[in-house]
Amino acid sequence: MPSTWMTYEELAVARGIAVKSAKTLARRHHWARQIGNDGKVRVSLPEGVTVGPSEAPSEGASEGLTVGPTVSPSPIHELLARVAVLEVELAGERRRADTAEADRDAWRDQAQQLTKAILASQFTSTLRKLFPEVALAYNRGFDARAIRRLADMVTAHRDEIEEAWNEHFA
C-alpha cells in the first residue's frame, strides 16, 4: 500500500485535532513533507499508519496513531475526513474555474475588439475601392465654378465625411 499524502488541515480533521497539533505530529514522526502547486504543505503518512481519532491511547501508542491493520472506531469519522478532503479539492477547482472564466472573458473581449477593427478597416478599404474619387453624378443648375468649389470641398473633407458615415451606419 503506498503512502498517503494529506495537508495539515486534512490530517487535523481526520485526527480530530488542531492544525498546529497536526504539524507537531508530522515533525515528531519525521514524515516527509512537500509543498504542492497550490502552496499547501502535504505530509506523507507511511504504510501501516492509519488516520482517525482513536479511543484512549495505550501505553505504547503515540497520540492515537496505530500501526498495522485496525478497524476504524466509527465510519462517520472516515466519512468526515473524506468530506474535508473533497471540500479542499472543490475549493481549489472553484478557484481554477473562476480564473479560467476570467481568462475566457478577457479573450472574448479582445477578439470582439479586433473583429470590429478588422471589419471597419475592410469596410473603409472597400468603400475606397468602390468610390476612388469624387465625381459629379448630375447637375441641377449649378455653374461650373460652383461645381468645382463643391467638388474641392468634398475632396478636402472626404475622410471626415467617411468617418461620420461609418459611425452612423456601424
Side-chain angles (χ1 to χ4, degrees), residues 9-52:
E9 292 82 11
E10 294 166 350
L11 181 60
V13 169
R15 297 285 308 136
I17 58 177
V19 175
K20 186 174 180 181
S21 299
K23 290 179 183 180
T24 303
L25 183 67
R27 272 195 304 271
R28 182 180 311 126
H29 290 285
H30 304 286
W31 291 338
R33 290 175 290 212
Q34 183 176 357
I35 298 177
N37 290 339
D38 59 358
K40 293 186 176 187
V41 177
R42 288 179 169 67
V43 292
S44 174
L45 303 178
E47 273 186 55
V49 175
T50 58
V51 181

Side-chain angles (χ1 to χ4, degrees), residues 64-103:
L65 286 176
T66 56
V67 179
T70 60
V71 176
S72 177
S74 170
I76 293 175
H77 293 296
E78 290 178 17
L79 292 174
L80 289 174
R82 185 63 184 144
V83 167
V85 170
L86 292 174
E87 285 175 346
V88 169
E89 290 176 7
L90 178 62
E93 291 301 318
R94 282 188 176 148
R95 282 191 304 273
R96 199 171 130 235
D98 291 342
T99 302
E101 287 176 359
D103 288 346

Side-chain angles (χ1 to χ4, degrees), residues 41-169:
V41 177
R42 288 179 169 67
V43 292
S44 174
L45 303 178
E47 273 186 55
V49 175
T50 58
V51 181
S54 65
E55 308 296 322
S58 61
E59 283 295 316
S62 170
E63 295 188 17
L65 286 176
T66 56
V67 179
T70 60
V71 176
S72 177
S74 170
I76 293 175
H77 293 296
E78 290 178 17
L79 292 174
L80 289 174
R82 185 63 184 144
V83 167
V85 170
L86 292 174
E87 285 175 346
V88 169
E89 290 176 7
L90 178 62
E93 291 301 318
R94 282 188 176 148
R95 282 191 304 273
R96 199 171 130 235
D98 291 342
T99 302
E101 287 176 359
D103 288 346
R104 179 206 59 206
D105 293 342
W107 281 106
R108 180 186 297 145
D109 292 343
Q110 186 176 4
Q112 288 174 346
Q113 291 173 355
L114 289 173
T115 302
K116 286 180 182 178
I118 289 169
L119 290 176
S121 171
Q122 290 174 346
F123 183 70
T124 303
S125 67
T126 303
L127 282 180
R128 288 206 186 266
K129 289 177 187 173
L130 292 174
F131 306 106
E133 57 189 54
V134 177
L136 177 64
Y138 54 90
N139 180 4
R140 291 207 176 168
F142 291 102
D143 62 357
R145 177 182 285 164
I147 291 173
R148 193 174 338 109
R149 285 181 52 209
L150 288 171
D152 289 343
M153 286 173 54
V154 170
T155 303
H157 297 285
R158 179 179 177 162
D159 291 336
E160 295 172 25
I161 294 169
E162 283 184 20
E163 187 175 316
W165 176 274
N166 292 337
E167 285 179 10
H168 180 74
F169 289 105

